[in-house]
């Protein structure tokens, strides 16, 4: 990148780069505004390229461990539990296989729904806890814990949570925009939130992106998303990769690598307690 202003040509070591694409530098806002018409097309192209690099990159390996069993947390948000009492996130194995009369982390005694609602509301309003916002949004959306269904309130909480960096809130916003839950249906915004969530590591958001690309017959992009999601432990994506391999959309090399990555992801987060908890929840859902 040149040390000359892209607008006036002035050479200066203190020029500021375009904040979007970083391709060119300017003396200041005036020069940037003047040069905008000439730079706009190249800027948008570069921004899109940078975004796609992030979107199709393998998410960094999660290092977070369950604070109870000290095993790596599952990649699936559905296999973890937010503890309202202390704000800790633990795995389903430790939540469902240990005594439930007290929190396994802070030892707080179990409380009524009304008391839990007061605590989680305080975490939302007083501490701006994004995980608490995401949980409370689910209560309003589904009418849980004695609350009436209020999709508009749920949507507002999801927006706040996503702005504070909650990947699963972006994923839930994607669903809201796709299904019209508390907001008008808008597939462009749904895809945007799925993309942000996928970049942040949500394998279910990435799986949904893959399904959208597949429905649009963009098979190459669909398989890229399916492979990344499967490598993070998404069983549904692995199933679709198997179908993609049979239909010639996935090479043998990519198929074998995805199988290895999927198994490695499952092995490093596996425990007897988590298997028992998953089996119990599956039986309860029948």
């Amino acid at each position: 990148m040149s040390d000359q202003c892209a607008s006036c040509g002035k050479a200066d070591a203190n020029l500021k780069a375009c904040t979007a694409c970083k391709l060119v530098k300017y003396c200041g806002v005036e020069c940037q505004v003047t040069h905008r018409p000439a730079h706009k097309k190249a800027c948008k192209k570069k921004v899109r390229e940078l975004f796609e690099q992030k979107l199709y990159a393998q998410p960094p390996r999660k290092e977070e461990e369950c604070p109870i069993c000290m095993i790596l947390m599952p990649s699936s948000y559905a296999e973890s539990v937010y503890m309202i009492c202390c704000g800790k996130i633990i795995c389903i194995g430790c939540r469902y296989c240990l005594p439930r009369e007290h929190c396994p982390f802070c030892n707080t005694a179990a409380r009524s729904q009304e008391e839990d609602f007061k605590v989680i509301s305080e975490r939302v309003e007083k501490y701006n806890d994004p995980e608490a916002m995401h949980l409370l949004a689910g209560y309003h959306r589904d009418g849980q814990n004695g609350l009436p269904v209020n999709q508009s309130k749920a949507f507002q909480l999801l927006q706040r949570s996503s702005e504070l960096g909650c990947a699963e809130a972006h994923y839930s916003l994607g669903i809201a925009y796709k299904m019209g839950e508390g907001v008008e249906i808008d597939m462009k915004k749904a895809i945007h939130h799925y993309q942000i969530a996928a970049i942040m590591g949500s394998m279910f958001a990435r799986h949904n992106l893959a399904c959208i690309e597949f429905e649009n017959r963009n098979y190459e992009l669909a398989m890229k998303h399916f492979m990344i999601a499967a490598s993070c432990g998404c069983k549904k994506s692995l199933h679709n990769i198997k179908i993609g391999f049979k239909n010639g959309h996935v090479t043998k090399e990519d198929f074998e690598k995805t199988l290895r990555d999927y198994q490695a992801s499952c092995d490093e987060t596996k425990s007897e307690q988590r298997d028992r908890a998953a089996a119990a929840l599956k039986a309860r859902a029948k």
Side-chain angles (χ1 to χ4, degrees):
M1 184 165 48
S2 172
D3 282 330
Q4 286 186 319
C5 175
S7 180
C8 68
K10 178 182 176 182
D12 192 333
N14 296 318
L15 297 176
K16 295 183 178 180
C18 172
T19 54
C21 67
K22 312 295 183 185
L23 287 175
V24 293
K25 293 182 178 181
Y26 298 105
C27 299
V29 175
E30 185 177 346
C31 280
Q32 186 172 11
V33 171
T34 301
H35 189 246
R36 180 63 180 167
H39 176 57
K40 185 177 180 180
K41 186 175 180 179
C43 183
K44 283 188 173 182
K45 181 181 178 182
K46 185 61 178 180
V47 168
R48 186 63 193 172
E49 289 174 357
L50 293 172
F51 182 78
E52 289 182 352
Q53 285 177 13
K54 290 195 295 182
L55 181 60
Y56 294 109
Q58 186 72 30
R61 180 179 177 274
K62 287 189 175 182
E63 301 291 343
E64 183 183 3
E65 297 177 342
C66 171
I68 306 298
C69 64
M70 304 305 290
I71 298 174
L72 280 177
M73 289 292 287
S75 298
S76 169
Y77 183 82
E79 295 177 19
S80 61
V81 180
Y82 175 85
M83 302 306 296
I84 296 173
C85 48
C86 55
K88 291 292 182 181
I89 299 177
I90 65 176
C91 72
I92 57 168
C94 291
R95 183 67 189 109
Y96 291 100
C97 294
L98 295 177
R100 302 190 65 182
E101 293 79 13
H102 294 80
C103 171
F105 185 83
C106 69
N107 205 37
T108 298
R111 293 172 295 214
S112 66
Q113 287 185 352
E114 292 79 9
E115 290 173 321
D116 275 346
F117 180 73
K118 288 180 181 178
V119 173
I120 196 170
S121 297
E122 181 182 24
R123 287 192 171 279
V124 169
E125 300 304 332
K126 188 175 180 179
Y127 300 108
N128 275 332
D129 184 337
E131 296 294 341
M133 291 175 191
H134 184 248
L135 181 62
L136 188 57
Y139 290 170
H140 284 290
R141 181 193 62 217
D142 302 328
Q144 296 178 339
N145 285 33
L147 293 176
V149 173
N150 189 335
Q151 293 186 344
S152 178
K153 179 66 174 178
F155 182 80
Q156 292 171 14
L157 286 165
L158 289 175
Q159 283 186 310
R160 289 177 61 189
S161 179
S162 68
E163 290 167 0
L164 291 170
C166 178
E168 294 306 319
H170 279 290
Y171 168 59
S172 296
L173 281 173
I175 295 175
Y177 275 114
K178 182 181 179 183
M179 305 303 294
E181 297 176 347
V183 68
E184 291 185 6
I185 292 176
D186 189 325
M187 281 305 298
K188 185 175 181 179
K189 290 183 178 179
I191 290 171
H192 169 73
H193 284 288
Y194 282 153
Q195 289 175 332
I196 299 301
I199 290 171
M200 296 175 72
S202 172
M203 66 180 186
F204 291 136
R206 191 172 291 280
H207 177 82
N208 284 7
L209 282 174
C211 292
I212 292 171
E213 295 291 3
F214 194 87
E215 289 171 1
N216 292 331
R217 299 182 181 275
N218 298 323
Y219 300 126
E220 183 179 353
L221 295 181
M223 292 304 136
K224 281 184 180 181
H225 283 306
F226 280 139
M227 283 190 284
I228 295 173
S231 296
C232 294
C234 183
K235 192 173 183 179
K236 289 183 178 180
S237 288
L238 182 67
H239 174 73
N240 287 323
I241 285 297
K242 292 177 181 178
I243 295 175
F245 175 62
K246 290 179 181 178
N247 293 335
H249 298 307
V250 179
T251 66
K252 182 179 180 181
E253 181 182 1
D254 284 340
F255 177 60
E256 291 176 344
K257 182 180 184 302
T258 303
L259 286 175
R260 290 193 298 270
D261 290 344
Y262 171 81
Q263 192 59 52
S265 177
C266 292
D267 288 345
E268 67 182 5
T269 60
K270 186 179 180 65
S271 78
E272 184 179 344
Q273 285 190 161
R274 292 177 187 181
D275 288 344
R276 293 208 312 269
L281 291 174
K282 185 177 181 179
R284 187 186 301 176
K286 289 183 178 179

